[in-house]
Amino acid sequence: MSKPFKVDIAELKAQPCKPNNFIIGVMLKDIMASSALRNHGKLRLCFISSFPPNRGYLAEYAYQLINGLARNENIEKIVILADKIQSPEGTEKVVYPEKVKCVRCWARNKPASLPRILSNLRKFSPDIVHFNCGLMSWGKSRIVNFLGSLMPLTVKLLGYPVLVTLHNMGEAVNSDKLGIYRLNRLNSFGLWLATKLLSKVNVVVPLKRYAQILKQKYHAENVQYIPHGTLGAIVNHVTTGGKTVLTFGHFSEHKNLPLLIQAVKEIRENDGSLKLVVAGDSHPNRPGYLENIKKTYGHEPFIVFTGYVNDEKLKDLFETSTVVVLPYLFSVGSSGVFHLACSFGKPVIISDLPDYRDMLEAEGGAAILVPADDKQTLIESIKKVVGDMQLQKRLGEQNLKMAENLSFEHIGQRYVDLYRRIIAC
């Protein structure tokens, strides 16, 4: 398995971006000629995304995919046009591979991000531009996110081959409950229009049902399904036993942490050895959420709040857990935590939601599905997995096999193959 690269914050100095230097009248034939000269050889990729040391907003996914792409012999150079650093103090230091360069040239919630990104594209002249985004990647306001949805088509109109990895869709996200906005007629039309604009470029989705929505509702023609990806098989064999429930991620209301705490507390009435580990921090869109949970439940002796977990500590965290539980009220795309658990060969209990059924069926992973917000079924499922080491082994081995087949090295190669097909069109 390839070792994850690191980023040194001290070296991540944002290169100055000068929107006033942006020339909208770029020479399209020069761009296409430059790309055509190189498309028979190694590729120069521009990757636009949030990126570590920032957290959330698909930054962690971007980190792992870039790691896989950077090790691909068909990639000559990767320039990441990333958001400016806003992470808390104490975030791990990062160092980029030789072929990867990061330019911190845009910021969330800033409409000026569009000209800044376009200005930096002009300087780099890539073979292909890859956007990594979701419903709220560009900021909290509807206007900023709508402008973000314009960027891929704008870049395409300027003559660059473009690919978007679209991680979630308005049709699959409960916007009211997530607290993004009320789904009235105006917002529904805005979502439809934003998705329609995105569907005009080449799109990759991590769930097959998203591809069906784009094709049937938006009449999109250039849609591909590529699975989320994993860290590969990090462990050689599955470990079983113990009585530790692990939940992990960036927490907000939809991850339903109070229900899991109540479920574990009720199980402990008959089995006082069971404990719960809550690993992670508040989601950037919900600052202070986990801190409020700790104020309410922090006195409980069976709960351990670890805070944010660096990559170096992941192996110990997962290997000492018995089962990973994700009792979400609704989904916002494929589950990165599920794929992380698979890399460590862990059994998973997850809410029975359309996105997760799609994910399991398409990728070959294994999980115990429970109805969302059903505490009694969740209790019975936890008791079943914790008390059955053969079940732990069977689920864990299937997940470990899936993780090996869908490592980010393999996913990176699928993207490289797609890059070449797009450039050739």
Side-chain angles (χ1 to χ4, degrees), residues 55-71:
R55 301 172 185 173
Y57 308 117
L58 305 170
E60 292 87 351
Y61 174 88
Y63 174 86
Q64 299 300 343
L65 180 57
I66 289 296
N67 193 26
L69 288 167
R71 299 179 188 282

Side-chain angles (χ1 to χ4, degrees), residues 184-254:
N184 55 34
R185 288 186 178 181
L186 178 61
N187 290 332
S188 295
F189 175 74
L191 272 175
W192 176 87
L193 183 58
T195 307
K196 187 70 174 179
L197 291 168
L198 288 170
S199 71
K200 294 299 182 180
V201 302
N202 295 282
V203 180
V204 164
V205 289
L207 295 170
K208 287 187 174 181
R209 67 187 295 257
Y210 289 1
Q212 293 173 350
I213 293 172
L214 286 169
K215 291 175 181 178
Q216 294 172 5
K217 182 175 181 179
Y218 296 94
H219 308 291
E221 298 178 355
N222 301 313
V223 182
Q224 301 286 331
Y225 160 71
I226 295 181
H228 180 282
T230 74
L231 298 181
I234 291 180
V235 297
N236 295 322
H237 62 276
V238 170
T239 57
T240 60
K243 293 190 176 182
T244 300
V245 173
L246 171 65
T247 192
F248 183 93
H250 300 297
F251 290 95
S252 61
E253 290 84 352
H254 83 279

Side-chain angles (χ1 to χ4, degrees), residues 56-167:
Y57 308 117
L58 305 170
E60 292 87 351
Y61 174 88
Y63 174 86
Q64 299 300 343
L65 180 57
I66 289 296
N67 193 26
L69 288 167
R71 299 179 188 282
N72 192 296
E73 62 182 8
N74 295 297
I75 296 290
E76 175 189 335
K77 182 75 175 178
I78 302 173
V79 171
I80 307 165
L81 301 186
D83 49 345
K84 295 180 180 179
I85 296 172
Q86 298 178 342
S87 61
E89 293 182 1
T91 303
E92 61 182 326
K93 294 183 177 181
V94 189
V95 176
Y96 294 103
E98 183 178 354
K99 65 170 70 172
V100 177
K101 177 182 180 181
C102 185
V103 179
R104 301 276 174 181
C105 68
W106 61 275
R108 299 186 78 255
N109 303 303
K110 300 292 185 182
S113 292
L114 175 58
R116 288 173 177 169
I117 287 173
L118 294 175
S119 176
N120 278 275
L121 276 176
R122 172 74 165 145
K123 297 173 186 176
F124 178 50
S125 187
D127 293 306
I128 190 163
V129 182
H130 185 165
F131 287 84
N132 178 54
C133 60
L135 192 64
M136 298 286 288
S137 292
W138 306 105
K140 293 183 178 181
S141 96
R142 291 166 296 178
I143 294 175
V144 169
N145 281 294
F146 183 77
L147 290 174
S149 71
L150 285 172
M151 272 195 272
L153 182 57
T154 302
V155 172
K156 178 183 177 181
L157 292 174
L158 290 174
Y160 296 95
V162 175
L163 175 66
V164 172
T165 297
L166 185 61
H167 288 264

Side-chain angles (χ1 to χ4, degrees), residues 140 251 282-292:
K140 293 183 178 181
F251 290 95
S282 299
H283 192 279
N285 278 342
R286 288 290 178 269
Y289 172 78
L290 195 58
E291 288 70 23
N292 289 332

